[in-house]
Amino acid sequence: MPAHLQLPYSTTIPAASHPSPSALTTPTWPAAVTASAATGRSALERRARLTAKLANLAATGQLAPLARQISTLGGCAHPIRLTGHRTRLDSTTGEIFDHFDSGRLPAGELLVRCGNRRATRCPACSTVYRYDTYQLIAAGLRGGKTVPTSVAAHPRVFATLTAPGFGPVHNQPDTGRCHCGHTHRDNDRLLGTPLNPEHYDYAGAVLWNAHAPALWARFTTHLRREIAKAAGLTQRTLRHHATLSYAKVAEYQKRGQVHFHAVIRLDGPTGPTSTPPAWATTQLLDHAVHAAATRTRVAHEGEPPKQPQPAGHIPASPPQDSDQAGRLVFRFGRQIDVRAIRSTDFTGGGPVTERHVAAYIAKYATKGAETTTGTLDRRLRLLAELATHDITDHARRMIHTAWHLATRPQHAHLRLRQWAHMLGFRGHFSTRTRHYSTTLAHLQAERTAWRTGQPDTQTPAPASAEPEAGQTDGSPVDDRAEHPTDLAPGNRNIAGQRVDSDTTLVISHWHYAGTGLLPEHEHLANLLAATRQTRPEQPTHTQRPKRSGDRAGHPVGHPIDRLTSAVRPGAVA
């Protein structure tokens, strides 16, 4: 391989040596070592084949546009591939502003980020989701993003509602020693697992998770009643004096139970734009949250599941009761934490500040049961699939319990098999009231509008590249957010002129082509990621002089420039 082909890995394939007679008669390498060497050779051969395909793209001048298209994904692990077309035209005159077809793109398809919130599925998209969640929560605490700044003076608390106990588990108490007699480290896999799995109430734990969304909904009803009662009002007249706003997120404990973190705020009758009444205080809100959480009950039709209990065993917090009809009655645990939220500049006494609350909730917006309990991050089609996954024994038993409880008619409406990987929880992990703050859709629209308003800095194609069909110039087709190939309607036409979005009609037709990049495109994405990681940091206050060989629009040392200059035509046969 020529020396000018510089890649982040070695592509030298070991030459096969001629075996000696002794080697044919007496094997000296174990089978595992032989299989490992064969796997290594196959991986190198695969990389060499993919690099050869990239070299062919470089020969035709398509490597740089393809690298730019893939770089717009921002490192998305499982992008969505779409095929189709889109046309923008004036609804009054019928004038066509631009027409785009996915076949004109370097990849032959439109690549869109998956947008998955789970950090285990797509770290890049989950990071964007976490940032948006932080802005959403922070806007409801200090204003901004369509919320007035006066909202920072409204009464607000940070509440945590937990699940009851279903049996003793390994934990880290204040005394330092667990009930098992040992002191567990923070990363100990035993944390959250039952001390005696045979006597742990797995059925009650799964059913409680399944009823957690109903518990939260019932809690918000009781909370409004308690606020009205404390203010001397009826629930019907409360809306004429104050509005309850909240944003909550569901978090999994290590034992596999869901608990809720919520920012609860009291506003005036019209929401955050109005001043709350004088009786609306943080102390009143604190008392109302405790009273509402204590009163909240949710009943379930069906016979209570029978669980064997050791002699003399009394649960620390009974998970559920039974009413006169024999129905299970679920409730929250006794651990209810309510803290007043102070402003950012308040530092005395270790307060819960706006910034801390927003960062705390945003952190759990990208996590699920798989991060704390060690379960799965996707649904199961067959229970036998568990044998192929490395999960904890505690999570495995909870999934088995959910799977078998779903066979009973009284639990059919809970859809436990569909949500077995979530240990029975089937509610929304994050919800908010309409008046709390802005929405994620609004934040995404603002980001799209900002990108659309940026000047178009597309790099002209090399002189050797042929214009694609439908192009009048030599500029490569790209699918960046500011380019007309974006799915969302923008305010620029293909010539870069602003158009009126009120009279612009967008006609589009898209087909789902698949998820994930093609092998050669994925190889190119890995090369781009490796190039960004190995690139030395350059000071931002200095600007290097442009050389004659640098293309306009890209600074010296750009990852795409370095990659396309490394992979040259004919470098790999």
Side-chain angles (χ1 to χ4, degrees):
M1 183 176 296
H4 60 260
L5 180 61
Q6 300 174 359
L7 298 176
Y9 53 80
S10 175
T11 58
T12 304
I13 303 176
S17 58
H18 296 284
S20 60
S22 59
L24 294 175
T25 56
T26 306
T28 57
W29 298 102
V33 176
T34 306
S36 177
T39 303
R41 286 196 299 269
S42 62
L44 289 176
E45 292 173 356
R46 181 177 180 273
R47 290 181 176 181
R49 288 194 302 267
L50 295 176
T51 304
K53 293 183 179 181
L54 296 183
N56 294 333
L57 291 175
T60 59
Q62 294 299 316
L63 183 61
L66 179 61
R68 281 192 295 272
Q69 182 183 4
I70 294 177
S71 63
T72 59
L73 298 173
C76 177
H78 305 284
I80 300 173
R81 308 196 310 272
L82 302 174
T83 58
H85 58 84
R86 192 215 45 213
T87 304
R88 286 197 184 104
L89 53 88
D90 194 324
S91 59
T92 58
T93 64
E95 177 188 359
I96 297 179
F97 293 134
D98 60 75
H99 175 77
F100 161 73
D101 191 276
S102 60
R104 296 172 51 192
L105 291 172
E109 297 169 329
L110 181 64
L111 304 180
V112 183
R113 294 185 183 185
C114 66
N116 200 307
R117 72 168 183 90
R118 294 178 183 267
T120 56
R121 300 290 293 274
C122 184
C125 292
S126 65
T127 299
V128 177
Y129 195 95
R130 185 174 74 252
Y131 291 162
D132 286 348
T133 303
Y134 175 87
Q135 295 296 334
L136 187 149
I137 300 298
L141 293 174
R142 62 192 181 197
K145 309 293 183 182
T146 71
V147 181
T149 56
S150 58
V151 75
H154 295 190
R156 62 266 177 95
V157 297
F158 181 62
T160 300
L161 306 179
T162 62
F166 299 91
V169 297
H170 295 273
N171 57 7
Q172 294 174 308
D174 297 334
T175 58
R177 284 186 175 273
C178 178
H179 292 292
C180 65
H182 298 84
T183 301
H184 300 288
R185 302 185 303 273
D186 293 338
N187 58 349
D188 195 341
R189 291 175 60 90
L190 287 177
L191 286 176
T193 59
L195 293 176
N196 189 350
E198 300 301 327
H199 297 123
Y200 190 78
D201 188 7
Y202 279 100
V206 171
L207 291 176
W208 192 95
N209 281 345
H211 289 83
L215 272 171
W216 173 260
R218 189 69 56 84
F219 163 75
T220 57
T221 300
H222 283 298
L223 181 59
R224 290 183 175 90
R225 293 175 180 174
E226 293 295 336
I227 293 174
K229 179 181 178 181
L233 303 171
T234 63
Q235 189 175 0
R236 183 182 298 273
T237 59
L238 175 63
R239 60 181 180 177
H240 301 296
H241 297 81
T243 302
L244 179 68
S245 301
Y246 65 83
K248 66 90 174 169
V249 65
E251 178 198 356
Y252 279 86
Q253 297 174 304
K254 289 184 179 297
R255 58 187 175 127
Q257 301 305 130
V258 171
H259 64 206
F260 298 110
H261 298 294
V263 176
I264 305 175
R265 191 186 68 212
L266 276 178
D267 302 324
T270 60
T273 57
S274 56
T275 304
W279 51 262
T281 61
T282 304
Q283 291 75 15
L284 180 144
L285 194 56
D286 187 334
H287 170 76
V289 170
H290 278 94
T294 304
R295 290 184 52 190
T296 301
R297 297 287 190 277
V298 170
H300 171 65
E301 297 290 343
E303 294 293 332
K306 303 301 181 180
Q307 291 289 335
Q309 299 293 340
H313 172 71
I314 300 177
S317 179
Q320 65 269 333
D321 305 316
S322 299
D323 58 8
Q324 296 179 355
R327 299 178 303 176
L328 294 176
V329 179
F330 299 92
R331 62 182 178 83
F332 286 112
R334 289 201 298 258
Q335 295 182 352
I336 302 172
D337 184 40
V338 182
R339 303 185 185 184
I341 301 176
R342 307 296 182 183
S343 59
T344 306
D345 56 356
F346 187 85
T347 57
V352 179
T353 64
E354 301 166 352
R355 179 172 54 86
H356 293 158
V357 169
Y360 189 82
I361 293 182
K363 177 179 66 173
Y364 290 106
T366 60
K367 296 182 178 181
E370 68 279 357
T371 57
T372 55
T373 312
T375 181
L376 305 176
D377 59 356
R378 62 195 71 201
R379 289 185 177 180
L380 287 171
R381 291 180 295 179
L382 297 173
L383 189 60
E385 295 178 12
L386 281 180
T388 62
H389 297 282
D390 183 19
I391 61 176
T392 62
D393 293 338
H394 180 56
R396 192 182 304 272
R397 297 193 64 164
M398 291 196 71
I399 292 176
H400 273 271
T401 301
W403 198 270
H404 293 297
L405 284 176
T407 60
R408 302 182 182 180
Q410 63 267 32
H411 305 320
H413 65 286
L414 298 177
R415 301 175 61 195
L416 292 176
R417 285 196 174 182
Q418 288 86 339
W419 299 101
H421 67 292
M422 298 289 287
L423 310 183
F425 179 69
R426 58 191 178 97
H428 295 285
F429 76 98
S430 178
T431 57
R432 64 167 191 86
T433 56
R434 181 166 57 92
H435 291 295
Y436 177 77
S437 70
T438 184
T439 63
L440 293 176
H442 177 78
L443 296 176
Q444 294 169 2
E446 279 191 339
R447 183 162 55 246
T448 301
W450 180 85
R451 290 175 176 173
T452 304
Q454 297 302 303
D456 192 359
T457 58
Q458 294 190 70
T459 304
S464 58
E466 292 292 334
E468 299 184 23
Q471 286 183 264
T472 57
D473 57 0
S475 59
V477 181
D478 204 352
D479 66 341
R480 290 174 295 172
E482 63 268 22
H483 192 270
T485 61
D486 188 22
L487 286 175
N491 59 348
R492 290 178 183 268
N493 58 14
I494 198 167
Q497 301 172 351
R498 292 190 175 272
V499 296
D500 188 1
S501 58
D502 295 333
T503 60
T504 302
L505 178 63
V506 181
I507 302 176
S508 59
H509 187 70
W510 299 99
H511 290 281
Y512 172 75
T515 301
L517 295 173
L518 299 179
E520 59 270 21
H521 297 168
E522 184 179 2
H523 183 57
L524 179 57
N526 294 335
L527 290 178
L528 291 172
T531 306
R532 284 192 297 266
Q533 294 174 0
T534 58
R535 182 177 55 179
E537 295 292 338
Q538 297 291 341
T540 57
H541 61 277
T542 60
Q543 184 175 1
R544 297 179 60 182
K546 185 182 299 184
R547 297 191 299 240
S548 59
D550 297 332
R551 294 193 294 265
H554 287 287
V556 176
H558 194 275
I560 298 177
D561 297 338
R562 295 178 59 188
L563 179 66
T564 54
S565 62
V567 182
R568 299 179 181 177
V572 179

